[in-house]
Amino acid sequence: MAIYHLSVSNVSRASGSKATATLSYITGKRVHDERRGETYDYGRKERVLRVGTLLPEGAPAEYADPAVLFNAVELHETGRTARPAKKIVVALPREFTPRQRVQALEEYIRENLNADGYAATYAIHDDGRGNNPHAHILVANRQIDPATGGWARLKQRMEYVLDERGERVPLIDPETGRQKTDKRGRRQWKRTSVSLNPLDRKAKLKALRESWANTCNARLDETARIDHRSLEDQGSDLEPTIHEGYAARAIERAGGVSERCQTNREIRRSNSLLTAIRTELGRIFDRLGELFAAKIGRLRRRQARPEPAEPNWRYFEGDARRQLEADKADHTAAIRGKLMDARADVGNREEWWRSHGTEEHEAAKQIIDVARAASREARDANIFKRGRLLRNAEQVAGEQSERLRGAVPWLEDADIPADWDQANRFRMRTTKAIYDHDMQPRTRLVAELERRLEQAERAESERPSPEQVKALALRMAEQRAQAENPTQDTKRPAPSGDEPLDLSEPEDWGEASPFESRQAPRTKADLLNEIRQRTDRLTGQREAEQRQIDPWSAQPPQRRGHGR
C-alpha cells in the first residue's frame, strides 16, 4: 500500500553539515571537498539504485557533475552559519515500477525546483532487499541567474524580533540596563535579517508537499492514492504513526524488537479496529435508513387508503358508561373483601401465637433456655465455684449460639450472652424478632390492599372520561355489527403491523382490564350467565389465595417436653 512521506531539512554549516558530505552519503560515491580539502566516502553503494542531476535554464554545463555543483555552492557561501543546500526525502510508492520512479522524481524536480532556478541531484535508495523505496533530493540553496549562469544574489530584509506575545523586543543597553535610544530620542528595538529565499518560505514548503502527492497520484490507481495532508487536517481522528528509521528496521531484521516499530504496530492495530468499528456503524446506519424509508412508504400507503366509516357508537354510549361504573364498583368491592379477609387472618395468626407459637419459636426457646440455665447456675454459685461455672456458661452459650443459627438461619443476632440478665433480655428480643418475621407477609398484604382500596375508591368517585366511554362504546358497536354480520371481518384489509396503539383505555387497577374481552349482553340469560362466571372466577381466586396464606390449613406444631 502506498504511503506518503516528505521531509525537508537544511544542510547547515553551523551544525557541522556540509553539502559535499551529504552528496557522498546519498550517492554512495567518493566526493572531495575543495573548500576544506577533505574527501568523503560513506560507502553503502548497494542501497543506491540510481543517481541523477537536473539543472535549471542557463546553468553551466559542468554543473551536471554533482561534485562540481555542490563544491561550487560551498565555495560561494562564505558565512559561518551558511546553509548551502537543502535535503528533501520522499517515500516512493511500492506500486511504481523502476521507470515510473524516475519519471515521477524528475517531473517533480523540474516543475518545483528547476522552474524556480534551483539545481538538484537525486538518488533512489532501498534497503538492499527491494523494500522501503525512497529518494533523497539534494538542492543547492541558491538560485542560478539564467542571464549570467552564476549564483543569484539572495535578497534579504530586516524585521523586528517579536516575543511570545507578538510584541517587539526592546534593545537593551548593557551599561545602563535601559532601552537604547537614537540621537532623536526614539527607542530602539531588536531587528534581524530575514532571507527572502523561496525555499525558506512556509508557503513554498506546503506547495512542495502537495505537488509530490499530485505527481504520485497521477500514476497511481484510485484505490492507492496518497494524501499530503496530516490526519488532523483531513478531519480524521486516527492516530498517526511515527518515523521508524533505518536503525529501527535493522534491529527488526536482526530478530530484535524495536520500540519505534512496536509503537507503530500498536498504532496500526488500534487504527484498524477503529476503522472496522466505523465500517460496521456505517452499515448499521444504512440499514436503519432503509427501514425508515420502508416505514415512511407504509405510512404513505396507509394514508392513501380511505378511512373506514366509524360505527354508530352513540347508541351504546349509556351502556358503556354504566358498564364502566359497574366495573369500578366490582373492582372496589373485590379489593374490600380481600382486605377484610387479610385483616381477619392477621387477628387469627396473633391468636395462634398466644396459644401455640411456631416451630422456630419453640426451638429457639429451648436452645436459649439451656444457656440461661448454665448462666443462672453460675450466678447462684458460691465464690469457690463461680469462676468454673462462669467459664462453663460461656462455653455453653457459644455452643447454643451455633445451634440457634442452624435452627433460625435468618436471625441477625444469634450470639447468646453468658450473663443471666442479658440472656433474659436476649430471649425477649428473639421472641419479638421471630414474631415480626412470621407476621410480616400478612401485615404487608394488609398494607398493600389498603393502598389498592384507596386507589380504587378514588377512581370510583371519578366519572369515566369521554374518551373511555367512546372507546368502550365503539367496541360494543363493532361487536354487535360482527355478531349480526359474521362475514364482515373477511372484507377488512389485513393489518399492516404498524397501526397506532389505542391509548384511550383507562389505567390499570391491579387486575385484568375490563376491556380485554367484552361481550354486549342482549338478553337476561346472557347477563345471568356472565354474572355466574364472574362469581365462580372470584371464588376460585379467593380460595387459591386463602390456601397460600392460611396458617390453619397445617397441623399446629407439637410441643416438646413435659406439659405443665
Side-chain angles (χ1 to χ4, degrees):
M1 178 180 178
I3 61 173
Y4 180 86
H5 174 76
L6 186 147
S7 61
V8 180
S9 58
N10 285 304
V11 178
S12 176
R13 192 171 292 170
S15 61
S17 301
K18 294 171 283 293
T20 50
T22 304
L23 178 65
S24 174
Y25 172 78
I26 68 171
T27 61
K29 299 179 180 179
R30 182 189 299 271
V31 177
H32 180 72
D33 190 329
E34 298 177 1
R35 186 180 69 86
R36 297 177 60 89
E38 298 176 353
T39 301
Y40 307 105
D41 187 5
Y42 289 98
R44 300 175 68 184
K45 299 177 177 59
E46 68 279 358
R47 299 178 62 237
V48 181
L49 303 180
R50 183 183 177 90
V51 176
T53 301
L54 300 178
L55 302 177
E57 181 182 356
E62 59 268 19
Y63 284 177
D65 184 351
V68 176
L69 170 65
F70 288 98
N71 266 302
V73 74
E74 280 281 356
L75 290 172
H76 185 80
E77 302 292 345
T78 58
R80 291 180 299 174
T81 60
R83 294 179 294 181
K86 288 186 182 293
K87 184 172 68 173
I88 304 174
V89 182
V90 295
L92 296 170
R94 295 183 180 181
E95 292 81 358
F96 279 0
T97 63
R99 181 179 180 83
Q100 287 177 323
R101 295 173 182 172
V102 175
Q103 290 177 346
L105 267 177
E106 293 188 350
E107 177 183 335
Y108 177 73
I109 293 173
R110 289 193 183 96
E111 293 181 356
N112 295 276
L113 299 174
N114 294 159
D116 291 338
Y118 295 100
T121 295
Y122 69 86
I124 300 176
H125 291 190
D126 65 9
D127 63 351
R129 298 178 178 83
N131 300 320
N132 188 27
H134 60 281
H136 297 262
I137 306 174
L138 189 62
V139 186
N141 201 20
R142 186 178 286 267
Q143 295 163 302
I144 295 177
D145 188 350
T148 62
W151 298 109
R153 180 179 178 182
L154 290 179
K155 297 182 179 179
Q156 296 181 343
R157 68 180 179 189
M158 301 300 293
E159 290 185 353
Y160 289 108
V161 177
L162 303 179
D163 57 14
E164 62 275 4
R165 294 177 298 178
E167 299 179 354
R168 293 180 295 178
V169 177
L171 187 62
I172 304 300
D173 188 347
E175 296 181 358
T176 62
R178 297 179 180 178
Q179 185 176 1
K180 289 185 176 181
T181 57
D182 59 7
K183 295 180 179 180
R184 297 182 179 180
R186 294 176 299 185
R187 290 179 294 180
Q188 300 295 302
W189 308 90
K190 284 187 178 181
R191 303 175 71 186
T192 183
S193 176
V194 178
S195 172
L196 299 182
N197 184 4
L199 284 181
D200 291 332
R201 297 177 183 174
K202 186 178 295 185
K204 179 62 175 179
L205 296 179
K206 290 183 177 180
L208 288 175
R209 291 180 56 83
E210 182 177 0
S211 178
W212 175 244
N214 295 336
T215 303
C216 293
N217 289 334
R219 295 170 172 80
L220 288 172
D221 187 72
E222 292 184 358
T223 59
R225 297 291 175 86
I226 59 178
D227 198 325
H228 69 283
R229 298 173 299 173
S230 64
L231 292 175
E232 182 179 0
D233 293 339
Q234 296 177 34
S236 171
D237 55 0
L238 295 177
E239 185 178 359
T241 55
I242 61 176
H243 181 66
E244 295 177 355
Y246 175 78
R249 297 194 183 99
I251 295 174
E252 295 275 333
R253 286 196 300 270
V257 177
S258 167
E259 181 178 352
R260 302 183 72 84
C261 294
Q262 180 64 24
T263 300
N264 277 345
R265 281 191 288 269
E266 294 175 357
I267 292 174
R268 294 189 187 98
R269 190 181 303 112
S270 63
N271 287 344
S272 176
L273 178 61
L274 181 58
T275 303
I277 292 174
R278 285 179 173 170
T279 302
E280 184 64 18
L281 286 176
R283 187 188 66 80
I284 293 174
F285 284 124
D286 291 342
R287 179 57 179 162
L288 288 176
E290 295 173 0
L291 294 176
F292 183 74
K295 178 77 172 179
I296 294 298
R298 289 196 297 269
L299 289 174
R300 289 176 177 173
R301 288 193 297 272
R302 188 178 65 184
Q303 292 173 359
R305 294 197 299 264
E307 292 292 336
E310 189 178 68
N312 184 15
W313 59 274
R314 292 289 184 181
Y315 180 79
F316 300 91
E317 185 177 5
D319 293 339
R321 180 177 290 104
R322 287 188 291 272
Q323 188 65 52
L324 286 171
E325 293 174 351
D327 288 340
K328 290 181 180 181
D330 293 345
H331 182 70
T332 305
I335 296 178
R336 188 177 289 111
K338 291 182 180 180
L339 178 58
M340 294 176 61
D341 294 340
R343 287 173 175 170
D345 178 55
V346 170
N348 294 335
R349 191 60 175 174
E350 291 176 349
E351 183 65 26
W352 172 272
W353 256 90
R354 283 191 290 270
S355 59
H356 296 84
T358 62
E359 292 184 359
E360 286 184 341
H361 181 229
E362 292 296 328
K365 284 198 304 183
Q366 293 179 11
I367 293 171
I368 297 172
D369 287 345
V370 173
R372 287 174 66 241
S375 62
R376 182 176 57 188
E377 185 179 0
R379 185 199 63 178
D380 297 339
N382 57 35
I383 192 172
F384 300 102
K385 297 180 180 180
R386 185 173 299 169
R388 177 175 58 82
L389 293 178
L390 283 175
R391 290 190 295 273
N392 178 65
E394 292 176 356
Q395 181 179 358
V396 172
E399 295 172 353
Q400 295 303 106
S401 298
E402 293 297 328
R403 291 185 57 193
L404 182 60
R405 292 188 183 92
V408 191
W410 52 264
L411 191 62
E412 296 181 0
D413 183 11
D415 295 328
I416 304 174
D419 182 73
W420 164 257
D421 295 330
Q422 295 180 7
N424 288 333
R425 289 192 290 270
F426 177 80
R427 187 174 183 271
M428 296 174 62
R429 290 198 307 272
T430 304
T431 300
K432 180 67 168 56
I434 295 175
Y435 171 81
D436 292 341
H437 183 267
D438 185 64
M439 296 296 295
Q440 185 178 15
R442 295 164 177 80
T443 55
R444 186 186 297 122
L445 177 60
V446 170
E448 176 63 20
L449 289 174
E450 289 176 348
R451 183 187 64 82
R452 290 172 57 185
L453 178 61
E454 182 182 357
Q455 292 180 353
E457 291 176 346
R458 186 167 56 251
E460 185 180 3
S461 63
E462 298 174 357
R463 292 178 59 83
S465 65
E467 292 80 9
Q468 295 174 349
V469 174
K470 180 180 178 180
L472 182 55
L474 280 172
R475 294 191 181 189
M476 289 181 173
E478 291 174 357
Q479 290 168 1
R480 173 64 65 83
Q482 183 180 358
E484 293 176 351
N485 187 10
T487 61
Q488 185 178 359
D489 239 10
T490 59
K491 300 179 181 179
R492 294 183 179 181
S496 61
D498 57 353
E499 287 77 9
L501 296 177
D502 185 5
L503 304 178
S504 62
E505 295 185 359
E507 61 181 354
D508 186 10
W509 294 315
E511 294 183 342
S513 173
F515 308 111
E516 291 182 357
S517 176
R518 176 82 62 192
Q519 295 293 336
R522 292 179 296 172
T523 64
K524 292 182 178 180
D526 294 337
L527 181 59
L528 291 174
N529 186 29
E530 182 180 355
I531 294 174
R532 188 180 298 108
Q533 291 178 359
R534 180 177 299 181
T535 304
D536 294 341
R537 184 171 64 254
L538 292 175
T539 304
Q541 292 178 357
R542 290 178 181 177
E543 291 177 354
E545 294 175 355
Q546 191 72 14
R547 286 195 297 271
Q548 293 178 2
I549 66 175
D550 189 5
W552 317 110
S553 59
Q555 294 294 330
Q558 299 296 327
R559 298 177 65 88
R560 298 182 179 85
H562 299 286
R564 295 183 180 178

